[in-house]
Amino acid sequence: ETGVTQTPRHLVMGMTNKKSLKCEQHLGHNAMYWYKQSAKKPLELMFVYNFKEQTENNSVPSRFSPECPNSSHLFLHLHTLQPEDSALYLCASEPRGRSTGELFFGEGSRLTVL
Amino acid sequence: AQKVTQAQTEISVVEKEDVTLDCVYETRDTTYYLFWYKQPPSGELVFLIRRNSFDEQNEISGRYSWNFQKSTSSFNFTITASQVVDSAVYFCALSDVYNTDKLIFGTGTRLQVFP
């Protein structure tokens, strides 16, 4: 139990589907992140939210749409994805007020786009 | 530009062997943080250590030790007497001390420890 829960753990979708990834943290943190992990590539930061406000959008295509309704929940809405978007999507949280880089990660959602 | 290089893609050792994971970084910042994270098969990355660029002292935590050498821009990680539970992917990362939102990760080193 990491304190950061991601659902679903596995998702297969077609290029025309719309789906969402969910992340929930039970640690009382105020910052939440989405990372993309592709094979043989460094982790790529996608989005950062601080106190529900988006503070970073790392040039992510608009087919990925984040939503942060409160400090405990983070969503990644997916639509018209491409096969190259297949990856492990990791959510992380951090207590804001002390930027330490010590992130708490979920176990990830493994996405396959057909 | 900031960059982290982990040249070792995969390392295999037998239990009880010592193993060193290499990390070389590039940055123009004079102050920065260096990190190591562990990713076990379950998927979540687990924070292991953060080191400030001002602090070049080596650190030891149980079987883990870290060697930070500013002169060679390296932050290597050694596991002594490796165990099967150490099998994981290990990531080195770098960030500006004023903006830890943007962690720059390396590609990771997969460590397999065989019994």
Side-chain angles (χ1 to χ4, degrees), chain A residues 33 37 56 96 100-101 103, chain B residues 37 39 44 50 101-102:
Chain A
Y33 301 71
Q37 184 177 17
E56 185 71 36
R96 197 46 69 180
T100 64
L103 304 182
Chain B
Y37 277 83
Q39 186 179 36
E44 80 284 9
R50 180 186 68 250
D101 280 355
K102 293 188 177 182

Side-chain angles (χ1 to χ4, degrees), chain A residues 2 9 33 35 37 40-43 45 48 50 55-56 88 90 94 96 99-103 105-107, chain B residues 4 9 33 35 37 39 42-47 50 89 91 95 97 99-103 105-107:
Chain A
T2 67
R9 294 294 311 280
Y33 301 71
Y35 277 89
Q37 184 177 17
K40 299 183 180 178
K41 288 186 177 180
L43 271 74
L45 177 66
V48 181
N50 287 298
T55 56
E56 185 71 36
L88 181 67
L90 291 161
E94 182 186 25
R96 197 46 69 180
S99 296
T100 64
E102 182 179 349
L103 304 182
F105 283 84
E107 294 178 331
Chain B
V4 175
T9 305
Y33 284 134
F35 303 82
Y37 277 83
Q39 186 179 36
S42 51
E44 80 284 9
L45 275 77
V46 178
F47 169 87
R50 180 186 68 250
V89 181
F91 292 93
S95 82
V97 295
N99 186 8
T100 56
D101 280 355
K102 293 188 177 182
L103 284 178
F105 284 89
T107 49

Side-chain angles (χ1 to χ4, degrees), chain B residues 16-99:
Chain B
K16 297 184 183 177
E17 283 186 28
D18 298 347
V19 58
T20 295
L21 309 181
D22 298 333
C23 173
V24 174
Y25 62 92
E26 297 174 30
T27 181
R28 293 179 182 172
D29 295 332
T30 53
T31 56
Y32 48 89
Y33 284 134
L34 293 163
F35 303 82
W36 276 95
Y37 277 83
K38 173 183 179 180
Q39 186 179 36
S42 51
E44 80 284 9
L45 275 77
V46 178
F47 169 87
L48 295 179
I49 190 172
R50 180 186 68 250
R51 176 49 51 92
N52 189 305
S53 55
F54 285 133
D55 182 3
E56 288 194 67
Q57 281 195 336
N58 291 333
E59 181 153 345
I60 298 175
S61 176
R63 295 184 298 106
Y64 294 172
S65 62
W66 290 270
N67 184 341
F68 176 31
Q69 295 208 349
K70 223 169 176 178
S71 60
T72 56
S73 297
S74 65
F75 187 44
N76 296 338
F77 173 30
T78 297
I79 301 175
T80 303
S82 59
Q83 300 177 0
V84 173
V85 293
D86 295 326
S87 297
V89 181
Y90 291 86
F91 292 93
C92 182
L94 166 71
S95 82
D96 181 333
V97 295
Y98 303 110
N99 186 8

Side-chain angles (χ1 to χ4, degrees), chain A residues 30-33 45-58 96, chain B residues 99 101-102:
Chain A
N30 295 311
M32 296 187 78
Y33 301 71
L45 177 66
M46 299 177 73
F47 302 104
V48 181
Y49 278 82
N50 287 298
F51 295 95
K52 303 186 299 178
E53 297 297 319
Q54 188 181 123
T55 56
E56 185 71 36
N57 178 336
N58 201 24
R96 197 46 69 180
Chain B
N99 186 8
D101 280 355
K102 293 188 177 182

